Amino acid sequence: MIEPVQVFWAPDGASMPTLGSRPLVDVTDGDTPNLRMPVRMLSVDTPEVTARGAERAAQIDEEFSQLAEWIHKGLAPISSELGEFLKPRLDSGQAGSLHFSQGQAASAFSKENIARRLARPGGQPRAMFIRVADSPFDSNHRLLAYLAPDYTEKERREFPKRLRPTFNLDLVTSGWAAPFIIYPDIPAADDLALLIEAAAGARADGLGIWANPQTLLAYEYRSMERLFDITKKKVNGQPLKVDERSWRERYCVDLRNRVLHGPEDYFGIDPEYRLWLWPADLRDAVARLNLTPSARLASGR
């Protein structure tokens, strides 16, 4: 019979997502199994492939065209300024198909790039270097990390960061990812400079997603999916289970001047200079980064 204990604790742990049918790689010793797990690459955002196929992507073309019409008629809960900015992309007739094809291209680039950079001529492939965020998991319990080939100490001394970029930075340089920096996971000063330079260069040269002016960035695409669902229910007179403005949540800071903008005013900031804030982090970020609200935000508009 065991004796009673006097310590009671409720841990704050979280369940990890399903890792598939073969998550176990091997077991090092009794208490150290090695598992496969999903990683969300920090500071970058590639187009989504959640449509899964051309048929669903074509349906999204129609849904986004319908959303553009609702925005034009003032039926969607979105500011007129952001609505005007997004309408041409939503009403292009290819918003879903374009995004899906870009997502496939980004995925293909990432697979080829990782395989190529980990390869060693005639030898064992390099190991993977992983640097995690201050808070290592996102809301979907994916590991948040920067990934790169694992260089030797000698190589790190001889080659500057520019010549041994992370796979995250490669995606931005190629144009297949937009920068997506979310507070508090801000890159160090030298890494941030490389990211901004790469993003600005890819955008100026029309690489990857930047080749088509009708591109919806991945975070815009996801928010428009949510806005479509909300507006459809409003138009059909169905009750909403969420706030009608819940389709957009993050505030946006201009990295050049530390001005804080509302969730629907990000589009006035060049993509490479956007820093995103969750509402829960707003007070902390304002204090630590010495942010100033935009005139529009300060006026409550």
Side-chain angles (χ1 to χ4, degrees), residues 216-251:
L216 282 169
L217 300 182
Y219 48 79
E220 293 173 329
Y221 176 88
R222 293 188 296 268
S223 67
M224 290 301 98
E225 285 188 309
R226 295 192 294 271
L227 180 59
F228 173 81
D229 291 338
I230 288 171
T231 307
K232 182 179 179 181
K233 289 181 179 179
K234 284 174 61 70
V235 169
N236 292 334
Q238 297 174 289
L240 293 176
K241 296 182 180 180
V242 297
D243 185 272
E244 67 173 26
R245 295 276 175 169
S246 63
W247 59 271
R248 87 297 183 271
E249 299 175 279
R250 288 179 292 264
Y251 290 77

Short mmCIF file of all heavy atoms in Angstrom, two decimals, residues 216-251:
data_model
loop_
_atom_site.label_atom_id
_atom_site.label_comp_id
_atom_site.label_asym_id
_atom_site.label_seq_id
_atom_site.Cartn_x
_atom_site.Cartn_y
_atom_site.Cartn_z
N LEU A 216 -2.02 36.97 -53.05
CA LEU A 216 -2.41 37.16 -51.66
C LEU A 216 -1.33 36.51 -50.81
O LEU A 216 -1.01 35.33 -50.99
CB LEU A 216 -3.75 36.47 -51.37
CG LEU A 216 -5.03 37.16 -51.83
CD1 LEU A 216 -6.21 36.21 -51.68
CD2 LEU A 216 -5.29 38.43 -51.02
N LEU A 217 -0.74 37.27 -49.90
CA LEU A 217 0.23 36.67 -48.99
C LEU A 217 -0.48 35.64 -48.13
O LEU A 217 -1.70 35.71 -47.93
CB LEU A 217 0.90 37.74 -48.14
CG LEU A 217 1.66 38.81 -48.93
CD1 LEU A 217 2.34 39.79 -47.99
CD2 LEU A 217 2.68 38.18 -49.87
N ALA A 218 0.27 34.68 -47.62
CA ALA A 218 -0.36 33.55 -46.93
C ALA A 218 -1.22 34.00 -45.76
O ALA A 218 -2.32 33.48 -45.54
CB ALA A 218 0.71 32.56 -46.46
N TYR A 219 -0.75 34.99 -45.00
CA TYR A 219 -1.57 35.43 -43.86
C TYR A 219 -2.81 36.19 -44.33
O TYR A 219 -3.84 36.19 -43.66
CB TYR A 219 -0.75 36.25 -42.86
CG TYR A 219 0.12 37.37 -43.40
CD1 TYR A 219 -0.41 38.60 -43.76
CD2 TYR A 219 1.49 37.20 -43.51
CE1 TYR A 219 0.39 39.63 -44.22
CE2 TYR A 219 2.31 38.22 -43.97
CZ TYR A 219 1.76 39.43 -44.33
OH TYR A 219 2.57 40.46 -44.79
N GLU A 220 -2.74 36.82 -45.50
CA GLU A 220 -3.94 37.44 -46.07
C GLU A 220 -4.92 36.38 -46.54
O GLU A 220 -6.13 36.48 -46.32
CB GLU A 220 -3.54 38.35 -47.24
CG GLU A 220 -2.74 39.56 -46.83
CD GLU A 220 -2.21 40.36 -48.00
OE1 GLU A 220 -1.92 39.76 -49.06
OE2 GLU A 220 -2.07 41.59 -47.86
N TYR A 221 -4.40 35.35 -47.18
CA TYR A 221 -5.23 34.26 -47.68
C TYR A 221 -6.00 33.60 -46.54
O TYR A 221 -7.22 33.39 -46.63
CB TYR A 221 -4.34 33.24 -48.39
CG TYR A 221 -5.03 32.00 -48.89
CD1 TYR A 221 -5.60 31.96 -50.16
CD2 TYR A 221 -5.09 30.84 -48.11
CE1 TYR A 221 -6.22 30.80 -50.63
CE2 TYR A 221 -5.70 29.69 -48.56
CZ TYR A 221 -6.26 29.68 -49.83
OH TYR A 221 -6.88 28.54 -50.29
N ARG A 222 -5.31 33.29 -45.45
CA ARG A 222 -5.97 32.64 -44.32
C ARG A 222 -7.04 33.55 -43.71
O ARG A 222 -8.13 33.09 -43.36
CB ARG A 222 -4.94 32.25 -43.25
CG ARG A 222 -3.97 31.16 -43.71
CD ARG A 222 -3.10 30.67 -42.55
NE ARG A 222 -2.23 31.71 -42.02
CZ ARG A 222 -0.98 31.91 -42.43
NH1 ARG A 222 -0.47 31.17 -43.40
NH2 ARG A 222 -0.22 32.86 -41.89
N SER A 223 -6.74 34.84 -43.60
CA SER A 223 -7.73 35.75 -43.02
C SER A 223 -8.93 35.92 -43.95
O SER A 223 -10.07 36.07 -43.48
CB SER A 223 -7.09 37.10 -42.70
OG SER A 223 -6.70 37.78 -43.88
N MET A 224 -8.72 35.88 -45.26
CA MET A 224 -9.83 36.00 -46.19
C MET A 224 -10.71 34.75 -46.18
O MET A 224 -11.93 34.83 -46.38
CB MET A 224 -9.32 36.27 -47.61
CG MET A 224 -8.70 37.66 -47.79
SD MET A 224 -9.85 39.03 -47.42
CE MET A 224 -9.36 39.46 -45.73
N GLU A 225 -10.12 33.60 -45.93
CA GLU A 225 -10.94 32.39 -45.74
C GLU A 225 -11.88 32.57 -44.55
O GLU A 225 -13.07 32.23 -44.62
CB GLU A 225 -10.04 31.17 -45.52
CG GLU A 225 -9.36 30.65 -46.77
CD GLU A 225 -8.66 29.33 -46.52
OE1 GLU A 225 -7.87 29.25 -45.54
OE2 GLU A 225 -8.88 28.38 -47.29
N ARG A 226 -11.34 33.11 -43.46
CA ARG A 226 -12.18 33.32 -42.27
C ARG A 226 -13.22 34.40 -42.53
O ARG A 226 -14.38 34.27 -42.10
CB ARG A 226 -11.29 33.69 -41.08
CG ARG A 226 -10.35 32.58 -40.64
CD ARG A 226 -9.71 32.87 -39.30
NE ARG A 226 -8.82 34.02 -39.34
CZ ARG A 226 -7.52 33.95 -39.63
NH1 ARG A 226 -6.97 32.78 -39.92
NH2 ARG A 226 -6.77 35.04 -39.62
N LEU A 227 -12.82 35.47 -43.22
CA LEU A 227 -13.77 36.55 -43.51
C LEU A 227 -14.90 36.05 -44.41
O LEU A 227 -16.06 36.44 -44.24
CB LEU A 227 -13.05 37.72 -44.17
CG LEU A 227 -13.92 38.93 -44.53
CD1 LEU A 227 -14.62 39.50 -43.30
CD2 LEU A 227 -13.09 40.00 -45.23
N PHE A 228 -14.58 35.19 -45.37
CA PHE A 228 -15.62 34.64 -46.24
C PHE A 228 -16.65 33.87 -45.42
O PHE A 228 -17.86 34.04 -45.59
CB PHE A 228 -15.02 33.72 -47.30
CG PHE A 228 -16.05 32.98 -48.11
CD1 PHE A 228 -16.69 33.60 -49.17
CD2 PHE A 228 -16.40 31.67 -47.79
CE1 PHE A 228 -17.67 32.93 -49.91
CE2 PHE A 228 -17.37 31.00 -48.51
CZ PHE A 228 -18.01 31.63 -49.58
N ASP A 229 -16.18 33.01 -44.52
CA ASP A 229 -17.09 32.20 -43.71
C ASP A 229 -17.99 33.09 -42.84
O ASP A 229 -19.20 32.84 -42.72
CB ASP A 229 -16.30 31.24 -42.82
CG ASP A 229 -15.61 30.14 -43.61
OD1 ASP A 229 -16.05 29.85 -44.74
OD2 ASP A 229 -14.63 29.56 -43.09
N ILE A 230 -17.41 34.12 -42.24
CA ILE A 230 -18.18 35.02 -41.39
C ILE A 230 -19.20 35.81 -42.21
O ILE A 230 -20.38 35.92 -41.84
CB ILE A 230 -17.23 35.98 -40.64
CG1 ILE A 230 -16.47 35.21 -39.55
CG2 ILE A 230 -17.99 37.16 -40.03
CD1 ILE A 230 -15.35 36.00 -38.89
N THR A 231 -18.76 36.35 -43.35
CA THR A 231 -19.66 37.16 -44.17
C THR A 231 -20.78 36.32 -44.76
O THR A 231 -21.94 36.77 -44.85
CB THR A 231 -18.87 37.85 -45.29
OG1 THR A 231 -17.77 38.57 -44.73
CG2 THR A 231 -19.76 38.83 -46.05
N LYS A 232 -20.48 35.10 -45.15
CA LYS A 232 -21.50 34.21 -45.70
C LYS A 232 -22.62 33.99 -44.68
O LYS A 232 -23.81 34.02 -45.02
CB LYS A 232 -20.87 32.88 -46.10
CG LYS A 232 -21.85 31.89 -46.72
CD LYS A 232 -21.14 30.59 -47.12
CE LYS A 232 -22.12 29.60 -47.72
NZ LYS A 232 -21.44 28.33 -48.09
N LYS A 233 -22.24 33.79 -43.42
CA LYS A 233 -23.25 33.59 -42.39
C LYS A 233 -24.06 34.86 -42.16
O LYS A 233 -25.28 34.81 -41.97
CB LYS A 233 -22.58 33.13 -41.09
CG LYS A 233 -22.05 31.70 -41.15
CD LYS A 233 -21.41 31.28 -39.84
CE LYS A 233 -20.92 29.84 -39.93
NZ LYS A 233 -20.26 29.39 -38.68
N LYS A 234 -23.39 36.01 -42.18
CA LYS A 234 -24.11 37.28 -42.01
C LYS A 234 -25.11 37.50 -43.14
O LYS A 234 -26.26 37.89 -42.91
CB LYS A 234 -23.10 38.44 -41.95
CG LYS A 234 -22.36 38.57 -40.64
CD LYS A 234 -21.29 39.66 -40.72
CE LYS A 234 -21.86 41.03 -41.02
NZ LYS A 234 -22.64 41.59 -39.89
N VAL A 235 -24.67 37.26 -44.36
CA VAL A 235 -25.53 37.47 -45.53
C VAL A 235 -26.73 36.53 -45.49
O VAL A 235 -27.85 36.90 -45.87
CB VAL A 235 -24.72 37.29 -46.83
CG1 VAL A 235 -25.64 37.24 -48.05
CG2 VAL A 235 -23.71 38.41 -46.98
N ASN A 236 -26.50 35.30 -45.02
CA ASN A 236 -27.57 34.30 -44.98
C ASN A 236 -28.39 34.36 -43.70
O ASN A 236 -29.28 33.52 -43.49
CB ASN A 236 -26.98 32.89 -45.13
CG ASN A 236 -26.41 32.65 -46.52
OD1 ASN A 236 -26.83 33.29 -47.49
ND2 ASN A 236 -25.45 31.76 -46.63
N GLY A 237 -28.08 35.34 -42.84
CA GLY A 237 -28.85 35.50 -41.61
C GLY A 237 -28.60 34.42 -40.57
O GLY A 237 -29.43 34.21 -39.68
N GLN A 238 -27.46 33.76 -40.67
CA GLN A 238 -27.13 32.72 -39.70
C GLN A 238 -26.42 33.33 -38.50
O GLN A 238 -25.66 34.29 -38.63
CB GLN A 238 -26.22 31.66 -40.34
CG GLN A 238 -26.87 30.91 -41.50
CD GLN A 238 -25.88 29.98 -42.18
OE1 GLN A 238 -24.95 30.43 -42.87
NE2 GLN A 238 -26.06 28.69 -41.99
N PRO A 239 -26.64 32.77 -37.30
CA PRO A 239 -25.98 33.32 -36.11
C PRO A 239 -24.48 33.07 -36.16
O PRO A 239 -24.02 32.03 -36.64
CB PRO A 239 -26.63 32.55 -34.96
CG PRO A 239 -27.14 31.29 -35.58
CD PRO A 239 -27.54 31.64 -36.98
N LEU A 240 -23.72 34.04 -35.66
CA LEU A 240 -22.28 33.90 -35.60
C LEU A 240 -21.87 33.38 -34.23
O LEU A 240 -22.36 33.86 -33.21
CB LEU A 240 -21.60 35.25 -35.85
CG LEU A 240 -21.73 35.86 -37.25
CD1 LEU A 240 -21.07 37.24 -37.28
CD2 LEU A 240 -21.09 34.95 -38.29
N LYS A 241 -20.96 32.42 -34.22
CA LYS A 241 -20.45 31.89 -32.96
C LYS A 241 -19.17 32.60 -32.53
O LYS A 241 -18.64 32.33 -31.46
CB LYS A 241 -20.19 30.39 -33.10
CG LYS A 241 -21.45 29.57 -33.36
CD LYS A 241 -21.15 28.09 -33.44
CE LYS A 241 -22.42 27.29 -33.69
NZ LYS A 241 -22.13 25.82 -33.79
N VAL A 242 -18.68 33.49 -33.38
CA VAL A 242 -17.47 34.26 -33.08
C VAL A 242 -17.74 35.72 -33.37
O VAL A 242 -18.72 36.07 -34.04
CB VAL A 242 -16.27 33.78 -33.94
CG1 VAL A 242 -15.91 32.33 -33.62
CG2 VAL A 242 -16.56 33.94 -35.43
N ASP A 243 -16.89 36.59 -32.86
CA ASP A 243 -17.01 38.01 -33.17
C ASP A 243 -16.78 38.22 -34.66
O ASP A 243 -15.92 37.58 -35.26
CB ASP A 243 -15.97 38.80 -32.37
CG ASP A 243 -16.12 40.30 -32.56
OD1 ASP A 243 -15.51 40.83 -33.52
OD2 ASP A 243 -16.83 40.94 -31.78
N GLU A 244 -17.54 39.12 -35.27
CA GLU A 244 -17.44 39.29 -36.72
C GLU A 244 -16.09 39.84 -37.16
O GLU A 244 -15.74 39.77 -38.34
CB GLU A 244 -18.56 40.18 -37.24
CG GLU A 244 -18.49 41.63 -36.79
CD GLU A 244 -19.54 42.48 -37.49
OE1 GLU A 244 -20.59 41.94 -37.90
OE2 GLU A 244 -19.31 43.70 -37.61
N ARG A 245 -15.32 40.39 -36.24
CA ARG A 245 -13.98 40.89 -36.58
C ARG A 245 -12.88 39.91 -36.17
O ARG A 245 -11.70 40.24 -36.23
CB ARG A 245 -13.73 42.23 -35.89
CG ARG A 245 -14.66 43.35 -36.37
CD ARG A 245 -14.14 44.00 -37.64
NE ARG A 245 -15.08 44.97 -38.17
CZ ARG A 245 -14.81 45.83 -39.14
NH1 ARG A 245 -13.61 45.82 -39.70
NH2 ARG A 245 -15.71 46.67 -39.58
N SER A 246 -13.26 38.71 -35.79
CA SER A 246 -12.26 37.74 -35.34
C SER A 246 -11.42 37.20 -36.49
O SER A 246 -10.45 36.48 -36.25
CB SER A 246 -12.94 36.58 -34.61
OG SER A 246 -13.81 35.87 -35.48
N TRP A 247 -11.77 37.52 -37.72
CA TRP A 247 -10.99 37.06 -38.86
C TRP A 247 -9.61 37.72 -38.90
O TRP A 247 -8.70 37.23 -39.55
CB TRP A 247 -11.72 37.34 -40.17
CG TRP A 247 -12.03 38.78 -40.42
CD1 TRP A 247 -13.15 39.46 -40.04
CD2 TRP A 247 -11.19 39.73 -41.09
NE1 TRP A 247 -13.07 40.78 -40.43
CE2 TRP A 247 -11.88 40.98 -41.10
CE3 TRP A 247 -9.95 39.66 -41.71
CZ2 TRP A 247 -11.36 42.13 -41.67
CZ3 TRP A 247 -9.42 40.81 -42.29
CH2 TRP A 247 -10.12 42.02 -42.26
N ARG A 248 -9.45 38.84 -38.20
CA ARG A 248 -8.14 39.48 -38.10
C ARG A 248 -7.88 39.79 -36.64
O ARG A 248 -8.75 40.32 -35.95
CB ARG A 248 -8.04 40.71 -39.00
CG ARG A 248 -8.51 42.04 -38.47
CD ARG A 248 -9.97 42.16 -38.13
NE ARG A 248 -10.35 43.49 -37.70
CZ ARG A 248 -10.31 43.92 -36.45
NH1 ARG A 248 -9.85 43.16 -35.49
NH2 ARG A 248 -10.71 45.15 -36.15
N GLU A 249 -6.70 39.42 -36.16
CA GLU A 249 -6.40 39.56 -34.74
C GLU A 249 -5.13 40.34 -34.46
O GLU A 249 -5.05 41.08 -33.48
CB GLU A 249 -6.28 38.18 -34.09
CG GLU A 249 -7.54 37.33 -34.18
CD GLU A 249 -7.31 35.95 -33.63
OE1 GLU A 249 -6.75 35.10 -34.36
OE2 GLU A 249 -7.66 35.71 -32.46
N ARG A 250 -4.11 40.14 -35.27
CA ARG A 250 -2.80 40.69 -34.95
C ARG A 250 -2.68 42.17 -35.30
O ARG A 250 -3.12 42.61 -36.36
CB ARG A 250 -1.70 39.90 -35.68
CG ARG A 250 -1.46 38.52 -35.12
CD ARG A 250 -0.38 37.80 -35.90
NE ARG A 250 -0.82 37.50 -37.25
CZ ARG A 250 -1.34 36.33 -37.62
NH1 ARG A 250 -1.47 35.36 -36.74
NH2 ARG A 250 -1.71 36.13 -38.86
N TYR A 251 -2.04 42.92 -34.41
CA TYR A 251 -1.64 44.29 -34.70
C TYR A 251 -0.34 44.25 -35.49
O TYR A 251 0.34 43.22 -35.56
CB TYR A 251 -1.44 45.08 -33.40
CG TYR A 251 -2.73 45.37 -32.66
CD1 TYR A 251 -3.37 44.37 -31.93
CD2 TYR A 251 -3.31 46.63 -32.71
CE1 TYR A 251 -4.55 44.63 -31.26
CE2 TYR A 251 -4.49 46.90 -32.03
CZ TYR A 251 -5.11 45.89 -31.31
OH TYR A 251 -6.28 46.15 -30.65
#
